[in-house]
Amino acid sequence: DTAVSQTPKYLVTQMGNDKSIKCEQNLGHDTMYWYKQDSKKFLKIMFSYNNKELIINETVPNRFSPKSPDKAHLNLHINSLELGDSAVYFCASSQVHGTVSSPLHFGNGTRLTVT
Amino acid sequence: KNQVEQSPQSLIILEGKNCTLQCNYTVSPFSNLRWYKQDTGRGPVSLTIMTFSENTKSNGRYTATLDADTKQSSLHITASQLSDSASYICVVSAANQAGTALIFGKGTTLSVSS
């Protein structure tokens, strides 16, 4: 079974649309994350959700909103998509929040292309 | 400012050759460091973790080193294989008043050719 799964794998949409990416983890972890990987492959944290506490990266536009229906799911909703939102979005989970001693388990990414 | 710098940015080697990837950090206080491997089209996967007290750790053909005094880590790959072609990302824990944070390097892209 895939530990962290996200859907869809590819998402092509037009500017101005609203879209969602879903993520589920079956590892029993308390913390989930969303990362954005740009064209230069640099991973940037967008959000972390730890025991119902949301930690937001202040540089993330408020068009992006995470939604966690339960501990195993963390979805990402994006409003009014812009060209600059094109990137690969990774969901991840860890047993303990924010420390290298607790490894991140990543999904295989969602490649978002905004045209 | 907490930073993680990786070098080289990219590297091309022939199959069977060895290579070394570098990670320099200016993270304080330092607790530990982890190397991830990211295959094309996949999410990163942990290779190994280096704690403050560890100098060297091997995982198959991968050997990681850590010099906490100079704030440097390296990842040495022995007898490279085509499957080693990937991005290698160094991540360091940084402690601050709000808790801990993960500081990511920008990665080294390794291409192994036959």
Side-chain angles (χ1 to χ4, degrees):
Chain A
D1 286 340
T2 303
V4 180
S5 59
Q6 53 182 110
T7 57
K9 186 170 178 62
Y10 300 98
L11 184 55
V12 180
T13 187
Q14 292 184 329
M15 286 176 55
N17 285 347
D18 302 339
K19 290 293 180 184
S20 292
I21 307 172
K22 294 185 176 182
C23 178
E24 176 182 4
Q25 56 99 0
N26 62 9
L27 297 168
H29 289 164
D30 287 335
T31 305
M32 296 185 72
Y33 311 79
W34 277 107
Y35 284 87
K36 179 180 180 181
Q37 189 170 48
D38 58 26
S39 57
K40 295 185 178 180
K41 297 191 176 181
F42 184 42
L43 279 163
K44 293 182 180 179
I45 182 71
M46 299 178 69
F47 306 100
S48 62
Y49 211 89
N50 180 43
N51 285 328
K52 300 185 179 180
E53 178 188 3
L54 177 64
I55 302 172
I56 299 174
N57 184 329
E58 294 179 358
T59 65
V60 176
N62 58 16
R63 298 181 294 103
F64 291 79
S65 57
K67 298 185 189 304
S68 180
D70 54 57
K71 196 175 75 168
H73 297 83
L74 183 63
N75 304 323
L76 182 64
H77 190 75
I78 316 169
N79 290 325
S80 304
L81 278 156
E82 300 178 357
L83 293 176
D85 297 333
S86 296
V88 181
Y89 293 84
F90 284 96
C91 176
S93 72
S94 67
Q95 194 165 19
V96 178
H97 177 259
T99 173
V100 164
S101 61
S102 181
L104 294 167
H105 295 260
F106 287 87
N108 284 327
T110 295
R111 181 174 293 278
L112 171 65
T113 303
V114 183
T115 62
Chain B
K1 180 181 179 183
N2 289 324
Q3 282 187 319
V4 175
E5 301 285 344
Q6 292 188 243
S7 62
Q9 185 176 359
S10 61
L11 183 61
I12 301 173
I13 61 173
L14 289 175
E15 187 178 13
K17 297 296 185 182
N18 303 336
C19 67
T20 300
L21 314 180
Q22 298 289 345
C23 173
N24 297 340
Y25 58 91
T26 56
V27 174
S28 183
F30 171 82
S31 60
N32 43 36
L33 176 153
R34 189 178 291 271
W35 285 93
Y36 287 86
K37 178 187 179 188
Q38 183 178 15
D39 293 319
T40 301
R42 307 295 293 268
V45 175
S46 174
L47 281 176
T48 189
I49 181 173
M50 300 297 291
T51 61
F52 184 83
S53 60
E54 293 176 312
N55 296 120
T56 303
K57 183 182 287 185
S58 292
N59 178 4
R61 293 180 297 102
Y62 298 98
T63 299
T65 67
L66 176 66
D67 186 333
D69 291 332
T70 61
K71 298 187 177 182
Q72 294 180 329
S73 177
S74 67
L75 183 67
H76 185 76
I77 304 174
T78 304
S80 61
Q81 300 177 358
L82 296 178
S83 59
D84 293 329
S85 295
S87 290
Y88 293 83
I89 303 168
C90 176
V91 184
V92 180
S93 288
N96 53 42
Q97 291 178 337
T100 57
L102 301 180
I103 312 299
F104 281 73
K106 293 187 177 182
T108 292
T109 299
L110 173 65
S111 298
V112 180
S113 61
S114 56

